[in-house]
Amino acid sequence: MRRLVREHQLAPDDLIQPLFVVHGTGVEREISSMPGVFQLSVDEVLDREVARVQALGIPAVLLFGIPASKDEIGSENFSEDGIVQRALRRLRAEFPDLLLLTDLCCCEYTSHGHCGVLQGEVVDNDATLDILGRAAVSHVAAGADVVAPSGMMDGMVAAIRSALDGAGHSDRAILSYAIKYASAFYGPFREAAESAPAFGDRRQYQMDPANLREGLLEASLDEDEGADLLMVKPAMAYLDVIRAVRERTHLPLVAYNVSGEYAMVKAAGRQGWLDERRVVLEILTGMRRAGADAIITYHAKEAAAWLSEDGRR
Ligand code: PBG
């Protein structure tokens, strides 16, 4: 009876696995605050991981690159030999059916760790748009299906759309991190992606957690600029935002279950303070109930495995 009247389903089909890619070979470095999450080199290490992801029925991965060297403008983000471009070429050839998403942000690539080009100590929004366009074209040329700009620059979706169309890539999609809050829940990610800002914080461009209406404005601007999918990030403390956006857009909506949310559950699970399996599936189901079509989550592999076990019962 419970199965018959269940209102919302969670399935491996709804999940996106984030991956951190580094240069070198044989590198498999666990993130201390994110047990079970690794920085991986492109050789068979990443291939093995992606094969597992695909075998579990997860349709998509989101790539983050950790560059060999950083500079003021984050050049490796749009270099043909960049780490993400190398990973994309390999994965595109070996996993033709897997949806490849890339995070477009500059912060992993810049020496100062901010999400754009600096003018003094301030991010120059419009100068950054040009860089994002170049990075998008470079990622797509290497095989990305979807680019995901996460820097919260005004006008980023329009700039990326016109850069992609201009380069003959009108068939590739943009997943906009449309509503991204200046959140302490990104703490562990900054270790994973080596992207902590060298000074200050990201409040010049990321949103105030107290604001909902501003988020709806951000979502509608990005929709008008041509976004194909919208994202709300983080997710657990922002389920009301997911619900509100869901009620106002017909675009697919993605929730990002971020690093700090993962770390909290893992920490409590390891202490034996929570039933991790039940808690993870409850959290992800809650995001679906709030209105998310898809969820980016570091739990993707274990959740997909648990869901298929449950399905067999
Ligand atoms: C890049 C970016 C961040 C995350 C995704 N893309 C970090 C940030 O904005 O500081 C966070 C993801 C997570 O915490 O899991 N700007």
Side-chain angles (χ1 to χ4, degrees):
M1 180 62 101
R2 263 178 121 76
R3 278 165 51 210
L4 192 69
V5 299
R6 183 162 291 148
E7 296 173 33
H8 298 279
Q9 305 290 337
L10 176 69
D13 274 349
D14 308 322
L15 306 176
I16 300 169
Q17 173 74 51
L19 295 168
F20 298 100
V21 196
V22 294
H23 286 278
T25 50
V27 184
E28 207 165 358
R29 197 179 301 129
E30 192 165 27
I31 316 304
S32 62
S33 51
M34 300 174 73
V37 178
F38 296 81
Q39 292 183 340
L40 299 169
S41 51
V42 185
D43 56 312
E44 74 281 2
V45 181
L46 185 60
D47 280 359
R48 239 190 294 136
E49 177 80 355
V50 171
R52 260 203 301 269
V53 165
Q54 204 168 39
L56 287 162
I58 297 165
V61 295
L62 171 63
L63 299 179
F64 292 93
I66 292 106
S69 64
K70 305 187 185 223
D71 61 23
E72 282 286 306
I73 62 166
S75 314
E76 200 182 307
N77 202 5
F78 47 89
S79 149
E80 212 185 309
D81 289 328
I83 187 62
V84 157
Q85 290 80 352
R86 285 168 190 254
L88 284 166
R89 282 193 293 271
R90 176 99 179 231
L91 296 178
R92 182 73 301 153
E94 291 176 29
F95 302 93
D97 298 331
L98 189 73
L99 193 73
L100 300 176
L101 290 76
T102 59
D103 185 280
L104 261 196
C105 196
C106 305
C107 65
E108 295 103 273
Y109 299 94
T110 51
S111 43
H112 44 75
H114 278 284
C115 302
V117 187
L118 290 187
Q119 186 77 260
E121 295 216 332
V122 173
V123 171
D124 183 337
N125 187 94
D126 294 2
T128 302
L129 298 181
D130 180 50
I131 304 262
L132 291 175
R134 289 171 68 181
V137 169
S138 168
H139 290 196
V140 157
D145 299 296
V146 182
V147 290
S150 61
M152 290 296 281
M153 297 298 126
D154 293 336
M156 65 185 184
V157 174
I160 291 164
R161 187 70 272 162
S162 97
L164 289 178
D165 292 355
H169 299 300
S170 56
D171 58 338
R172 309 299 171 92
I174 300 172
L175 160 58
S176 179
Y177 285 69
I179 307 176
K180 179 170 176 181
Y181 289 94
S183 171
F185 284 101
Y186 308 150
F189 173 91
R190 294 186 183 162
E191 177 196 340
E194 302 176 10
S195 68
F199 61 86
D201 56 38
R202 302 209 202 289
R203 284 183 296 177
Q204 186 204 333
Y205 35 97
Q206 298 181 352
M207 284 178 37
D208 182 345
N211 291 0
L212 168 65
R213 203 173 56 229
E214 183 186 6
L216 300 178
L217 176 62
E218 292 283 355
S220 67
L221 288 169
D222 284 9
E223 182 164 351
D224 290 346
E225 288 179 30
D228 300 285
L229 310 94
L230 298 174
M231 187 199 299
V232 173
K233 172 184 177 191
M236 275 167 69
Y238 300 88
L239 295 176
D240 59 321
V241 181
I242 295 173
R243 165 56 40 199
V245 178
R246 174 70 292 153
E247 282 166 4
R248 284 166 183 77
T249 181
H250 293 129
L251 290 180
L253 185 58
V254 179
Y256 199 142
N257 176 213
V258 300
S259 57
E261 299 169 352
Y262 176 86
M264 290 193 304
V265 171
K266 281 286 162 193
R270 294 201 152 193
Q271 294 278 348
W273 291 345
L274 282 178
D275 178 342
E276 192 178 323
R277 174 178 177 147
R278 288 187 55 203
V279 163
V280 167
L281 295 178
E282 186 174 332
I283 287 171
L284 299 177
T285 300
M287 292 171 191
R288 294 273 294 138
R289 193 189 61 245
D293 297 295
I295 304 165
I296 300 168
T297 176
Y298 304 97
H299 296 292
K301 278 178 297 162
E302 56 192 8
W306 292 329
L307 288 167
S308 59
E309 271 176 41
D310 290 351
R312 281 198 298 275
R313 277 205 196 123

